[in-house]
Amino acid sequence: MRVATARTSGPDALDAALIACATGTADTFAPVYDALSPAAYGTALAVLRDPDHAAEVTQDVMVELWQTAARFDPARGSARTWVVTLARRRAVDRVRSEQARRHRDQRDMDQSGATAQYDVVVEHVEQRLEAAGVRRCLGSLTQTQRDAVLRAYYGDRTYREVAEDLGASLPTIKSRIRDGLIRLRTCLGVDHG
Amino acid sequence: MTGSSDFARAWGWTMADDDHDLLPSYALDAVDDTDRHAVERLLAADPDARRELDEYREVVAAFTVDERPPTSLRDQVLTRVAADARHSTETASATGAAPSPRPVTRTSHRPVAHPLRRRLAALGMAAAVVVAVAIPTTIAIQSQQTQRELQAEADTIAQMLADPDAQVLTAEMDGGGEVSALVSAGHVMLAASGMADPGDGHDYQLWAISGDTISSAGLIHPVDGSATALLEAPAGTTLAVTLEPAGGSDQPTSEPLVAVET
């Protein structure tokens, strides 16, 4: 049976520090902030590409991390993965609500706008990928898988929007993203078996 | 099981298969709200799907490039954290409770309380059990993330409460307190009340025992002596609570204070 899940690496000192925050004071949180805020900020910056917006999201994420420390389960993943998950969700939510607002303000918005936006950020994507841990593994993806995954990650596109952008069917894009992440999982050695 | 349950299960299985393919997109936050809700239903019902999601999240985290945030952010965050910690302590004191860090625990959410209360009351459970699932009113849930997770849990609990075959079990805890468990279709909702303070340097830890396998199901942080937990556990799983060194142990290091056979 699996009530709790196993993870690739054992719980580390950082995980223990975050767990301690569940019953600790603000002082307990300071070292956790120092260790994890760069991951939160880097994640938010990749999505938002605006330092001020990324800083606002990071502030909220780090406070949320403190408030929800009791829910952190090191059996399911590292503290770093946890904060990245929180940061990405918040940053993407912010982009989507901003997009919705713009759609309301500008009803005749050019349908190709999003694709153009992706093309503009290709350079930014390549710069960031140079330093990302996943970079060495992207070669294990087919070109179409890589394109779909990167559009979803850096273009902040849903898989439905990626399908529209590329003129491909929904099942096709869903499969490319799924197969792409499965290949990355294998290459990175992520196995919670 | 009735024919209609079989149909619902068959239908649910088909949907779950489809939603299962969405886990990688969900891990990338590349789903819209409708898809997101469907995946969260799957996650609430299927521990294997949760494990798979955890793996995809680790993959997504590998895209992260650390960047040093503006230095002013540190003070802003730590000031908010200090204010939050102080507020929680004051609130706890005002209600006569022992100071506890923050009343945010995994399943303590007000909307959950009402259907469970009704159901337990309908089952003619003792008043003490109803008290066990009373939820502190001081909880402030701030993030959408938390709300969504709680919604997924609320959906699961609603399904459990709708199950006519659901069972309620109760057991006394050594050292004081009582645990009741609502058991339905592979899920267990635990509610404990009257728990003693675990004391400095200790935490209560929940275990799921199946055959020779003992798995941690997380720490229990009682608020006002009460705590709730929602977990997956196939029929025949025994749930037990032990007192462990703060932060918990990989395997139990003390005798169970209580054990509930599902």
Side-chain angles (χ1 to χ4, degrees), chain B residues 14-83:
Chain B
T14 306
M15 293 303 290
D17 246 8
D18 205 33
D19 296 335
H20 192 264
D21 282 347
L22 275 178
L23 285 170
S25 292
Y26 179 87
L28 282 162
D29 286 294
V31 291
D32 60 26
D33 286 345
T34 309
D35 292 324
R36 193 181 265 185
H37 194 68
V39 173
E40 283 169 359
R41 280 179 178 278
L42 168 70
L43 292 170
D46 182 352
D48 283 343
R50 284 230 303 272
R51 182 176 51 90
E52 207 174 320
L53 175 66
D54 292 340
E55 293 179 349
Y56 293 134
R57 280 185 167 156
E58 202 170 320
V59 171
V60 171
F63 279 86
T64 294
V65 179
D66 281 16
E67 299 270 358
R68 186 65 53 191
T71 46
S72 57
L73 201 62
R74 189 177 194 273
D75 281 348
Q76 288 165 9
V77 168
L78 294 182
T79 302
R80 279 177 65 184
V81 163

Side-chain angles (χ1 to χ4, degrees), chain B residues 93-138:
Chain B
S93 303
T95 55
S100 81
R102 275 143 301 127
V104 179
T105 59
R106 189 164 164 69
T107 56
S108 299
H109 189 251
R110 199 161 178 64
V112 174
H114 297 294
L116 185 54
R117 273 191 187 136
R118 274 203 305 279
R119 173 68 179 176
L120 292 173
L123 287 168
M125 295 306 301
V129 178
V130 179
V131 169
V133 294
I135 304 300
T137 56
T138 52

Side-chain angles (χ1 to χ4, degrees), chain A residues 33 54-64, chain B residues 73 76-77 80:
Chain A
Y33 175 89
E56 285 167 23
V57 164
T58 301
Q59 182 177 153
D60 288 344
V61 165
M62 296 313 289
V63 173
E64 181 183 6
Chain B
L73 201 62
Q76 288 165 9
V77 168
R80 279 177 65 184

Side-chain angles (χ1 to χ4, degrees), chain A residues 2 4 21-22 34 59-60 64 66-67 71 76 80 88-89 93 96 134 159-160 178 185 192, chain B residues 21 28-30 35 48 54-55 58 62 66 74 76 80 84 101-102 142-144 148-149 216:
Chain A
R2 294 189 188 97
C21 288
D34 292 338
Q59 182 177 153
D60 288 344
E64 181 183 6
W66 152 261
Q67 288 171 333
R71 293 196 295 113
R76 294 192 59 188
R80 180 183 163 83
R88 184 164 170 85
R89 173 66 63 88
D93 279 350
R96 300 247 166 92
V134 78
Y159 77 97
R160 291 176 190 276
R178 184 197 61 201
R185 182 178 67 178
H192 293 190
Chain B
D21 282 347
L28 282 162
D29 286 294
D35 292 324
D48 283 343
D54 292 340
E55 293 179 349
E58 202 170 320
D66 281 16
R74 189 177 194 273
Q76 288 165 9
R80 279 177 65 184
D84 183 69
R102 275 143 301 127
Q142 295 178 345
S143 72
Q144 290 183 354
R148 271 190 289 269
E149 291 187 3
S216 172

Side-chain angles (χ1 to χ4, degrees), chain A residues 44-51 54 117-118 121 124-125 153-156:
Chain A
L45 203 56
V47 175
L48 297 164
R49 293 187 285 279
D50 176 301
Q117 188 192 349
Y118 174 76
V121 302
H124 152 90
V125 167
Y153 187 84
Y154 289 104
D156 316 322

Side-chain angles (χ1 to χ4, degrees), chain B residues 178-222:
Chain B
E178 186 180 58
V179 171
S180 56
L182 175 68
V183 184
S184 157
H187 283 83
V188 178
M189 170 89 187
L190 274 185
S193 65
M195 295 174 81
D197 187 285
D200 280 351
H202 289 89
D203 276 319
Y204 289 113
Q205 190 165 5
L206 181 61
W207 304 94
I209 303 157
S210 179
D212 293 329
T213 308
I214 304 180
S215 319
S216 172
L219 300 179
I220 298 175
H221 301 292

